[in-house]
Amino acid sequence: MCRSIKTLRPPVLPEEATEDDIRAAALQYVRKVSGFRAPAAHNQEVFDRAVDVIAEATAELLAGLEVRGASSRKAG
């Protein structure tokens, strides 16, 4: 579980982050904040919903960032 959350924007990541990259970062965040690697059955729904919401917010953030000096494209 103790994989660090990586920076997902260029130029740190050579190419745009994939959906899998974003989801893995969201899952790691939820695991860290909740203290659970895998939640109990009664917490699974709220755990999964949190991963979904954080992944969506992360994708929105990356799509909206303008990285100056690296290139003229937006990260996403």
Side-chain angles (χ1 to χ4, degrees):
M1 172 188 135
C2 231
R3 188 174 61 142
S4 296
I5 298 173
K6 301 176 194 173
T7 300
L8 297 180
R9 64 161 180 80
V12 177
L13 194 66
E15 297 182 8
E16 291 184 5
T18 65
E19 190 174 315
D20 288 342
D21 293 330
I22 292 170
R23 183 129 186 113
L27 176 60
Q28 185 62 21
Y29 176 83
V30 172
R31 285 175 172 172
K32 182 61 83 174
V33 169
S34 70
F36 297 113
R37 184 184 186 317
H42 63 276
N43 287 324
Q44 188 69 53
E45 185 179 335
V46 71
F47 189 93
D48 291 343
R49 192 167 52 243
V51 172
D52 292 342
V53 168
I54 292 166
E56 185 177 324
T58 301
E60 185 178 325
L61 170 67
L62 292 173
L65 289 176
E66 182 179 333
V67 181
R68 295 183 180 203
S71 69
S72 60
R73 70 177 187 163
K74 286 188 176 185

